[in-house]
C-alpha cells in the first residue's frame, strides 16, 4: 500500500492554540446539542502513544515509498497507553454524548481504553482479536493475535483452535489486508450510524482508504448532518466540512483536550480493566477443581494471564481455562489463595485473590494503573 502514499508527504499544518480553542468551542457546542454524534478515527490519534501513522512525513507508507526504514523508537501496540483522545472518547461515551465510533485502527487501543464492544465498528480489524471460522466465537488476547502470513496475506489462520465445547475450529485473525473485503456487519453498522449522524467528527485520518472513508462522506453529504475534520494534512473531504471552524489542523490530543475543557468534562486517566471468572467444581472422592477464565465485558473469552498458581500446589496452571486441583480433607470450607501472573505488557505485578470454596462461581474485576503499578480487585456477586 506504499504506492498509495506520495513520495514526498504533504507538509503538516499546525494552527495556533487560540485558533484551536475557538474551533474547539464550536465543536463542543455541536456535540452538546447533537442527537446522534459519531466519531471516525484514524492512525493520527495513536501517534502520541508512539505508534506511527501511515501517510505523514514519517508515516509507514511514506517511508516505505522512500525506501527508508521505519523508526526503531515505535512503541509496540501491546505496550502503548491510550492517548488523551482515546480517553476523551471514553468519557463522551460514558456521558451519553458519543453514540457510535467508527475506526480504521487495528491497534486495539479503543477497546482497551474502555469503548464498549457494541459502540464501535473496527472496520480494518483488531490485532488483539481473533475468531473461530466454524462457530464465530471471538477471543480477545493480550498478545498479537495475528496470522504469520508465511504463505499468503489471505491466510488468516493464527495457529490456535476454538475452545468452545464440541467445536475445535480454526481461529482466524480479524485484520483486513489491502485488497480484502471488510467484514459485513461492522461496515453495515458504520453506514447506518453515518446516515443517522447529525454530527460526525473525523480525528486523525487522511480519509483516502475506501470504503471506510465513505462513512464521514455520508454524514457530510447529508442535509441534516454536519462534518468536522481534525487532521494535520488535507483530506479529500475537506470541502464537505460545515464551515471553516469545523476544519482543524492540529494534533487530535490538542483539539480533544480543548473540546473537553469547553464541555466541562475531565479526561479520565487510563486504567487497564480485566474480568476473571473463578468457578469451584466439587468432585467425587474429594477430587475438586478450581477453574479460572478471563472474560471481556460482553462475555467474550479474554486472554490476559500467563499462569495461575494455587497455594500448596506443586505446579502452576499455564493453559486456559486455568484448572487446578485441590482436596478438602474433611473441611467445610477452604480459602483458596490464587496467584495471578499477567502478560506483563504494562509491567503488571502478580496479584493474589482469595476465593472461598463455598462460592461456586464469582466474577472478579481487576483494575490496574500503569502509572502507580498497583492492582485493585473487586468481587462481584
Amino acid at each position: 500500500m506504499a504506492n498509495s502514499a506520495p513520495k514526498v508527504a504533504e507538509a503538516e499544518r499546525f494552527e495556533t492554540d487560540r485558533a484551536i480553542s475557538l474551533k474547539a468551542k464550536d465543536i463542543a457546542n455541536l456535540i452538546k446539542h447533537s442527537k446522534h454524534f459519531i466519531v471516525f478515527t484514524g492512525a493520527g490519534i495513536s501517534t502520541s502513544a508512539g505508534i506511527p501513522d501511515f501517510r505523514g512525513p514519517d508515516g509507514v507508507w511514506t517511508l516505505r515509498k522512500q525506501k527508508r526504514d521505519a523508526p526503531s523508537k515505535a512503541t509496540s501496540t501491546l505496550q502503548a497507553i491510550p492517548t488523551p483522545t482515546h480517553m476523551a472518547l471514553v468519557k463522551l461515551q460514558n456521558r451519553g454524548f458519543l453514540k457510535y465510533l467508527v475506526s480504521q485502527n487495528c491497534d486495539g487501543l479503543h477497546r482497551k481504553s474502555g469503548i464498549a464492544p457494541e459502540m464501535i465498528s473496527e472496520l480494518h480489524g483488531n490485532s488483539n482479536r481473533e475468531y473461530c471460522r466454524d462457530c464465530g466465537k471471538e477471543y480477545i488476547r493480550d498478545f498479537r493475535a495475528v496470522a504469520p502470513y508465511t504463505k499468503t496475506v489471505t491466510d488468516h489462520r493464527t495457529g490456535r483452535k476454538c475452545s468452545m465445547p464440541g467445536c475445535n475450529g480454526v481461529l482466524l485473525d480479524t485484520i483486513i489486508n489491502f485488497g480484502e473485503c471488510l467484514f459485513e456487519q461492522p461496515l453495515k453498522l458504520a453506514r447506518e450510524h453515518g446516515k443517522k449522524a447529525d454530527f460526525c467528527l473525523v480525528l486523525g485520518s487522511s480519509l483516502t482508504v475506501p470504503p471506510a472513508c465513505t462513512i464521514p462522506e455520508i454524514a457530510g453529504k447529508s442535509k441534516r448532518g454536519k462534518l468536522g475534520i481534525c487532521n494535520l494534512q488535507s483530506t479529500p473531504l475537506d470541502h464537505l466540512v460545515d464551515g471553516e471552524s469545523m476544519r482543524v489542523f492540529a494534533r487530535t490530543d490538542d483539539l480533544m483536550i480543548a473540546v473537553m475543557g469547553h464541555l466541562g468534562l475531565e479526561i479520565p486517566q487510563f486504567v487497564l480493566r480485566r474480568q476473571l471468572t473463578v468457578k469451584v467444581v466439587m468432585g467425587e472422592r474429594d477430587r475438586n477443581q478450581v477453574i479460572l477464565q478471563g472474560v471481556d465485558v460482553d462475555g467474550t473469552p479474554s486472554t490476559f494471564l500467563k499462569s495461575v498458581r494455587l497455594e500448596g500446589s506443586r505446579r502452576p496452571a499455564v493453559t486456559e481455562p486455568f484448572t487446578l486441583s485441590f482436596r478438602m480433607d474433611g473441611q467445610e470450607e477452604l480459602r483458596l489463595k490464587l496467584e495471578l501472573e499477567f502478560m506483563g505488557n504494562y509491567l503488571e505485578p502478580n496479584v493474589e485473590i482469595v476465593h472461598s470454596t463455598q462460592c461456586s462461581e464469582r466474577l472478579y474485576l481487576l483494575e490496574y494503573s500503569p502509572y502507580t503499578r498497583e492492582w485493585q480487585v473487586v468481587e462481584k456477586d
Side-chain angles (χ1 to χ4, degrees):
M1 196 59 183
N3 292 332
S4 68
K7 192 166 186 178
V8 178
E10 177 186 335
E12 295 178 334
R13 293 170 54 184
F14 295 87
E15 299 191 55
T16 65
D17 291 346
R18 174 171 170 75
I20 293 170
S21 181
L22 290 172
K23 293 182 177 184
K25 185 176 181 179
D26 289 343
I27 290 171
N29 190 54
L30 274 177
I31 292 173
K32 191 182 299 184
H33 294 98
S34 67
K35 293 183 179 179
H36 201 88
F37 167 54
I38 71 170
V39 170
F40 182 93
T41 64
I45 73 163
S46 296
T47 54
S48 64
I51 301 172
D53 60 16
F54 292 96
R55 292 174 179 80
D58 294 314
V60 174
W61 302 137
T62 302
L63 295 180
R64 193 171 296 181
K65 186 70 172 286
Q66 297 171 355
K67 297 182 179 179
R68 293 164 55 199
D69 294 332
S72 58
K73 63 181 180 179
T75 302
S76 163
T77 58
L78 295 172
Q79 298 172 323
I81 291 178
T83 67
T85 299
H86 287 98
M87 300 313 300
L89 295 178
V90 172
K91 186 73 168 188
L92 292 173
Q93 167 198 258
N94 295 344
R95 291 295 297 268
F97 290 107
L98 179 64
K99 297 300 189 290
Y100 204 69
L101 175 61
V102 182
S103 183
Q104 297 171 289
N105 297 344
C106 305
D107 54 33
L109 291 184
H110 278 309
R111 289 284 295 271
K112 192 180 293 185
S113 68
I115 293 294
E118 69 274 11
M119 288 288 292
I120 184 171
S121 282
E122 294 176 301
L123 295 182
H124 295 164
N126 182 330
S127 60
N128 303 129
R129 181 163 52 90
E130 57 186 334
Y131 71 101
C132 177
R133 182 173 62 186
D134 295 340
C135 73
K137 187 66 177 177
E138 286 195 343
Y139 297 82
I140 295 291
R141 314 292 196 185
D142 262 8
F143 54 79
R144 279 181 59 81
V146 179
Y149 304 126
T150 52
K151 295 182 179 179
T152 169
V153 293
T154 61
D155 184 359
H156 290 274
R157 293 175 296 176
T158 63
R160 287 174 289 277
K161 295 292 186 71
C162 181
S163 61
M164 296 303 293
C167 184
N168 201 41
V170 171
L171 296 187
L172 307 177
D173 71 29
T174 57
I175 301 301
I176 302 296
N177 291 315
F178 293 106
E180 294 183 315
C181 295
L182 274 59
F183 289 102
E184 182 178 348
Q185 187 63 11
L187 181 58
K188 179 183 176 183
L189 287 170
R191 284 172 170 161
E192 289 176 355
H193 284 279
K195 292 175 182 177
K196 284 183 184 179
D198 52 6
F199 181 37
C200 172
L201 179 61
V202 175
L203 296 172
S205 174
S206 62
L207 298 175
T208 55
V209 180
C213 65
T214 63
I215 307 305
E217 186 176 20
I218 291 171
K221 288 184 176 179
S222 168
K223 291 182 180 180
R224 63 187 296 272
K226 297 181 184 297
L227 178 65
I229 299 174
C230 176
N231 197 56
L232 290 170
Q233 297 168 307
S234 62
T235 83
L237 299 187
D238 285 353
H239 65 287
L240 293 178
V241 298
D242 190 59
E244 185 179 342
S245 65
M246 291 297 108
R247 183 59 180 96
V248 189
F249 289 90
R251 295 183 179 92
T252 61
D253 287 348
D254 294 338
L255 174 65
M256 291 309 297
I257 289 170
V259 166
M260 298 298 278
H262 287 298
L263 288 171
L265 297 176
E266 184 178 352
I267 298 177
Q269 197 171 58
F270 168 62
V271 175
L272 181 67
R273 291 181 169 88
R274 295 292 182 244
Q275 295 190 153
L276 181 72
T277 60
V278 179
K279 184 178 182 180
V280 172
V281 179
M282 308 304 286
E284 296 180 355
R285 299 180 182 179
D286 207 16
R287 295 175 179 172
N288 315 304
Q289 291 182 328
V290 58
I291 304 169
L292 296 87
Q293 174 70 62
V295 292
D296 201 11
V297 292
D298 60 350
T300 299
S302 178
T303 301
F304 55 83
L305 294 175
K306 269 188 181 179
S307 71
V308 178
R309 182 181 292 275
L310 173 62
E311 185 181 59
S313 293
R314 294 177 59 187
R315 296 186 180 89
V318 294
T319 57
E320 293 182 297
F322 299 97
T323 304
L324 295 143
S325 300
F326 66 92
R327 300 179 69 87
M328 296 294 292
D329 292 327
Q331 300 181 68
E332 290 187 3
E333 178 190 13
L334 276 183
R335 294 180 63 77
L336 305 173
K337 294 183 178 180
L338 301 157
E339 183 182 0
L340 311 180
E341 181 188 13
F342 298 86
M343 292 294 179
N345 296 321
Y346 296 111
L347 303 177
E348 309 98 296
N350 292 3
V351 70
E352 182 183 89
I353 61 173
V354 181
H355 185 85
S356 170
T357 54
Q358 292 186 346
C359 179
S360 61
E361 187 169 358
R362 173 159 285 164
L363 179 69
Y364 291 84
L365 304 183
L366 313 173
E367 297 186 346
Y368 173 73
S369 167
Y371 308 101
T372 64
R373 294 193 60 205
E374 294 179 344
W375 282 103
Q376 296 290 331
V377 180
V378 179
E379 299 179 5
K380 301 289 286 186
D381 294 329

